[in-house]
Amino acid sequence: IRDIGSYAFSGCVSLSNIKIPNSVTYIGSNAFSGCTSLSNIEIPNSITSIESRTFLGCGNLTNIEIPNSVTSIGMEAFWSCTNLTSIEIPNSVTSIGSRAFLHCYNLENVKLPNNIKSLEYLLFCWCNFTEIDLPNSITNIGKEAFKLCPNLTSIKIPDSVTTIGQGAFANCYSLTSIK
């Protein structure tokens, strides 16, 4: 197998585990969207991009390892992965699309790459972390990027940030410290 096309396994609600072979170099958008039982997936180093909505609605996914070969994460890639608790985005990633982690209600820990410049629209809206340190490469915090993060108490905004978008931290009820 070389490619997994768009919507290839979309809506396969009983699919719980998948190991993608190293021969696969492309996974299309929505390839695993709506796989509500998917709890474990292994992405090989042959993948360079996680396309839009690839894992949208995979509510049982608790952890995912993104390999160092990945350079971009598409919009809505992990939208509504409601049981995702932690994610480490490797330094190879230079762009993350809007709404990539929207409605990841249990997402508590995020490690952002050191060279990302922009946090896009609604990127982490409705996530569950209590604090986040942004890398010094960030210049833009997009519109509503952290909106409705009810447990966010502290954020460190680096000097590199030149723009904070409209409603970037709106309704972060617990926010007490901005450094």
Side-chain angles (χ1 to χ4, degrees), residues 94-112:
T94 58
S95 69
I96 303 172
S98 62
R99 300 179 299 272
F101 297 96
L102 175 66
H103 294 164
C104 291
Y105 301 118
N106 290 304
L107 187 58
E108 296 175 349
N109 298 303
V110 175
K111 184 187 177 296
L112 291 168

Side-chain angles (χ1 to χ4, degrees), residues 134-141 157-164:
L134 302 178
N136 290 327
S137 59
I138 297 286
T139 59
N140 176 58
I141 300 173
I157 299 175
D159 292 339
S160 58
V161 172
T162 59
T163 304
I164 298 176

Side-chain angles (χ1 to χ4, degrees), residues 8 26 71 86 100 151 163:
Y26 176 78
T71 59
S86 179
N151 296 317
T163 304

Side-chain angles (χ1 to χ4, degrees), residues 43-44 47-50 66-73 90 92-94:
I43 300 173
I47 299 297
T48 59
S49 178
I50 296 175
I66 298 173
N68 289 326
S69 57
V70 172
T71 59
S72 66
I73 297 173
S92 58
V93 173
T94 58

Side-chain angles (χ1 to χ4, degrees), residues 3 9 14 27 43 47 56 69 84-85 95 97 102 106 123 139-140 144-146 166:
D3 294 343
F9 297 97
S14 297
I27 301 171
I43 300 173
I47 299 297
L56 179 135
S69 57
L84 188 64
T85 58
S95 69
L102 175 66
N106 290 304
L123 183 61
T139 59
N140 176 58
E144 301 176 346
F146 293 93
Q166 176 184 341

Side-chain angles (χ1 to χ4, degrees), residues 29-96:
S29 65
N30 287 284
F32 299 99
S33 63
C35 293
T36 55
S37 297
L38 188 62
S39 61
N40 186 38
I41 187 159
E42 291 183 39
I43 300 173
N45 284 325
S46 54
I47 299 297
T48 59
S49 178
I50 296 175
E51 299 295 326
S52 298
R53 297 175 292 283
T54 300
F55 300 103
L56 179 135
C58 293
N60 208 33
L61 194 62
T62 56
N63 185 36
I64 189 161
E65 289 187 31
I66 298 173
N68 289 326
S69 57
V70 172
T71 59
S72 66
I73 297 173
M75 69 176 200
E76 303 169 0
F78 297 96
W79 184 344
S80 289
C81 289
T82 53
N83 284 319
L84 188 64
T85 58
S86 179
I87 193 153
E88 183 173 335
I89 302 169
N91 288 330
S92 58
V93 173
T94 58
S95 69
I96 303 172

